[in-house]
Amino acid sequence: MTHGPAIAIDRVSFAYPDGAAALHGIAFELAHGERVAIIGANGAGKSTLLLHLNGLILPTSGTITVEGIRLERASRRDIRRRVGLVFQNPDDQLFCPTVFDDIAFGPRNMGLDENEVAARVRACLTSVGLDGAANKCAFHLSQGQKRRAAIATVLAMRPAIVVLDEPTSNLDPRGRKDAIALLRHLSATMIVATHDLPLVNALCPRTILLSQGRVAADGPTAAILADTALLESHNML
């Protein structure tokens, strides 16, 4: 484990090529092992922020540092070894002929030998409760199973930081319960962007509220979720 914060975001702003501004001077740090929720209404900037964290997009201004490494074009490969991003839609993450191949994709790209790849796949399938699904096509899995398989593709890379975008969206009550139980048992530093306030309460001791691309609040989850005036004013209730 490196000294200093797991992630440091310093006055990050971002505008899309068409000029639409999505983030305005975002600044916060995450300690190693911390679990933080990013909440906010649609259009608040949650997904845009998450895409920065493993270099899928780069800030227009400001800096992002991951385990002491500044995010730049040249450092993106190194950053991605440290930050695993689970997309909102599992179909964006699962594209191989079998679940085994989906989970093996990252470790193979890391240059690991096939024995190590297979060991990681088996361990990840067990950790997400998908034993027996290795040879299935992801297309034939339930939405909840797809979600768990997508998480396994990230866990197989053994990142220090796991970033999840709406991990309980489109899940039935059982699938949602299973997803929360799975996430509770992950030991990595975690950032969860979500509208699911009960998930936030169950999983993350700290919450950051984004509003129109800015940090509107940052503090203990219990205090933020208890502040109905704050949540209502930012379209969260």
Side-chain angles (χ1 to χ4, degrees):
M1 183 181 294
T2 61
H3 296 292
I7 294 179
I9 298 174
D10 184 18
R11 295 169 291 178
V12 164
S13 296
F14 177 78
Y16 285 99
D18 65 1
L23 301 176
H24 305 275
I26 299 288
F28 62 86
E29 293 185 353
L30 266 75
H32 291 276
E34 198 172 8
R35 295 180 177 184
V36 177
I38 308 289
I39 65 171
N42 288 335
K46 300 188 302 298
S47 293
T48 300
L49 177 60
L50 263 54
L51 292 174
H52 280 79
L53 297 180
N54 76 343
L56 286 173
I57 54 180
L58 298 174
T60 304
S61 63
T63 61
I64 295 174
T65 306
V66 176
E67 294 197 322
I69 299 170
R70 180 168 170 168
L71 173 61
E72 299 169 321
R73 288 192 188 281
S75 66
R76 285 187 294 187
R77 184 176 178 85
D78 209 3
I79 295 289
R80 287 170 185 164
R81 288 177 178 266
R82 290 166 164 76
V83 180
L85 175 60
V86 182
F87 294 107
Q88 180 173 349
N89 185 350
D91 292 334
D92 292 336
Q93 208 125 14
L94 305 171
F95 49 82
C96 293
T98 68
V99 172
F100 183 100
D101 290 326
D102 275 315
I103 299 171
F105 183 84
R108 282 172 174 159
N109 274 358
M110 293 169 65
L112 301 180
D113 69 64
E114 279 300 310
N115 287 335
E116 174 65 15
V117 169
R120 288 197 184 194
V121 172
R122 287 193 299 270
C124 288
L125 284 168
T126 298
S127 71
V128 301
L130 286 178
D131 286 315
N135 295 320
K136 291 184 178 180
C137 172
F139 179 76
H140 297 130
L141 301 179
S142 70
Q143 194 67 19
Q145 288 172 327
K146 284 184 181 180
R147 183 82 62 190
R148 284 184 275 154
I151 292 171
T153 68
V154 167
L155 297 184
M157 303 284 287
R158 297 186 179 168
I161 301 159
V162 176
V163 178
L164 304 108
D165 194 358
E166 297 287 358
T168 56
S169 65
N170 300 319
L171 295 183
D172 61 25
R174 176 59 187 269
R176 184 176 167 279
K177 181 179 178 183
D178 289 346
I180 292 172
L182 168 61
L183 296 177
R184 269 182 169 159
H185 286 94
L186 298 185
S187 59
T189 304
M190 190 182 302
I191 298 179
V192 183
T194 185
H195 290 98
D196 186 344
L197 298 185
L199 164 70
V200 172
N201 197 41
L203 192 65
C204 300
R206 176 184 170 196
T207 292
I208 296 171
L209 171 63
L210 292 189
S211 181
Q212 297 180 331
R214 294 178 171 86
V215 174
D218 179 354
T221 293
I224 287 179
L225 296 190
D227 191 340
T228 54
L230 174 69
L231 296 177
E232 286 176 351
S233 69
H234 294 286
N235 300 315
M236 290 301 296
L237 287 179

